[in-house]
Amino acid sequence: MGKEIDIMRILKRLFDLDNLIADKEADKKIGFKIDEEVGLLSLKKERASLLKEIPKEYADSYERIKKRYALAIAEVKNGFCFGCFQQLPTEMLVRSNEIVTCPNCGRILFWREE
Amino acid sequence: MNLASLLSRDRINLEMKSTKKEEVLKDLVYMIKSKTDAELIYSTLLKREELGSTGIGKGIAIPHCRSLAVSKLEIAIGRTIKPINFNAIDKKPVSLFFLIIAPPQDPGNQYLITLGKIVQISRELTKNNLINKPQTPDEFISLINEIEKKIAKKR
């Protein structure tokens, strides 16, 4: 595992998983049954195994950003980081195939393929 | 927020041939996205089901999650020809599925509002035994519209 595109794919899965975990209280309030023991444990195991699939520097970076912001990955739209809504420097806009962070807020940036 | 206005007839399949939980989820996701994005959503949905089945009982399930794969709230509806095992809360087979996928950043928390609304509509559908009544996507949307109006009047 080394190609940034593959690492980004795993980071996206990790991010979706973290959103699932974050939404579980809201799900409970709506009336969905949440299995705190087996279900949540399985999600946490999957999370740990995804982190092991990527180089340590990216795993550490993701965890560090996650501690600061609930949403560690932000989409780039029209040249703006949709995490902090600041305009990105022009030279960054050609780096959609790399894993880069927003120079303003530090979130990992994600470009949607249209 | 009006649910009927978020539905589109090309994302309603009332004759799904899927016979397993995994198949239904995959088929529903493919109604919204293709290839890579669909796989990302599908894997998240499977994980959500491990947290607890989204089968709310009486033949209805509301599989849902947030995913980076979508930029706005997306809904797909499916009804299987034969009810299938979905590990629903009442252990009964499920035939009607509301799939909801929302982006992580969701203005106005539309995701949770929509989920709540579908739960409410589902109660009306089961109470009046209406799951199998609509025969076309248009009839389905009209039925949802009627139910929403009825719920609004009760308030």
Side-chain angles (χ1 to χ4, degrees):
Chain A
M1 170 64 63
K3 275 169 66 187
E4 296 207 0
I5 198 156
D6 293 328
I7 297 169
M8 195 63 204
R9 198 166 291 145
I10 292 174
L11 285 172
K12 282 191 210 169
R13 283 185 62 192
L14 193 63
F15 184 65
D16 280 1
L17 213 60
D18 278 336
N19 283 313
L20 262 191
I21 297 170
D23 275 335
K24 77 178 174 62
E25 293 305 325
D27 260 17
K28 270 201 270 187
K29 266 189 197 164
I30 292 171
F32 288 95
K33 196 182 157 218
I34 299 292
D35 184 345
E36 295 277 358
E37 271 184 46
V38 184
L40 199 57
L41 190 69
S42 151
L43 253 59
K44 286 182 176 167
K45 272 188 189 165
E46 170 86 9
R47 189 182 192 283
S49 99
L50 284 175
L51 280 168
K52 278 183 198 157
E53 281 183 46
I54 53 175
K56 193 173 180 302
E57 56 182 295
Y58 292 108
D60 289 350
S61 170
Y62 177 83
E63 290 288 63
R64 200 173 51 246
I65 301 165
K66 186 87 188 70
K67 274 186 191 152
R68 192 164 172 202
Y69 305 111
L71 301 177
I73 300 182
E75 189 177 350
V76 176
K77 266 187 193 170
N78 303 323
F80 284 82
C81 162
F82 262 54
C84 63
F85 299 99
Q86 293 294 307
Q87 192 159 20
L88 294 165
T90 317
E91 65 267 23
M92 285 196 76
L93 303 180
V94 291
R95 299 175 68 187
S96 60
N97 290 326
E98 300 169 38
I99 297 176
V100 285
T101 53
C102 169
N104 183 55
C105 66
R107 289 179 176 92
I108 297 166
L109 294 173
F110 150 72
W111 277 259
R112 187 175 302 283
E113 289 166 36
E114 294 297 349
Chain B
M1 196 273 295
N2 179 262
L3 180 69
S5 66
L6 297 175
L7 305 180
S8 64
R9 63 173 79 92
D10 60 334
R11 287 186 178 187
I12 301 174
N13 180 357
L14 301 176
E15 291 171 335
M16 287 181 93
K17 292 180 180 73
S18 335
T19 55
K20 287 183 185 141
K21 182 173 189 168
E22 290 78 9
E23 265 178 53
V24 169
L25 293 177
K26 201 164 241 186
D27 291 348
L28 285 168
V29 174
Y30 272 87
M31 281 162 76
I32 292 174
K33 290 275 172 187
S34 56
K35 293 177 193 169
T36 327
D37 281 350
E39 287 301 322
L40 178 63
I41 299 172
Y42 173 65
S43 73
T44 313
L45 284 173
L46 284 183
K47 287 289 146 195
R48 172 61 188 83
E49 292 301 321
E50 280 182 28
L51 201 53
S53 175
T54 57
I56 57 166
K58 296 187 177 171
I60 297 182
I62 313 172
H64 59 275
C65 69
R66 290 185 200 266
S67 178
L68 268 178
V70 298
S71 57
K72 62 177 177 63
L73 189 93
E74 307 277 8
I75 299 176
I77 291 164
R79 190 174 68 197
T80 50
I81 297 168
K82 284 185 184 166
I84 63 156
N85 177 21
F86 206 80
N87 306 319
I89 198 162
D90 59 357
K91 311 278 179 211
K92 287 185 179 158
V94 175
S95 60
L96 184 61
F97 302 86
F98 292 89
L99 174 76
I100 311 170
I101 313 294
Q105 267 180 326
D106 169 31
N109 231 341
Q110 204 190 6
Y111 172 55
L112 295 177
I113 296 170
T114 309
L115 255 177
K117 189 142 204 177
I118 292 180
V119 169
Q120 209 179 6
I121 288 169
S122 296
R123 273 192 218 118
E124 292 292 324
L125 282 171
T126 54
K127 199 166 77 183
N128 300 309
N129 208 12
L130 296 169
I131 292 181
N132 291 312
K133 196 187 168 204
Q135 293 307 307
T136 63
D138 281 329
E139 282 177 25
F140 191 90
I141 294 172
S142 316
L143 177 63
I144 298 294
N145 218 346
E146 270 174 44
I147 294 175
E148 283 193 288
K149 280 182 190 160
K150 198 175 143 191
I151 292 172
K153 266 188 197 169
K154 278 187 192 169
R155 281 198 192 128

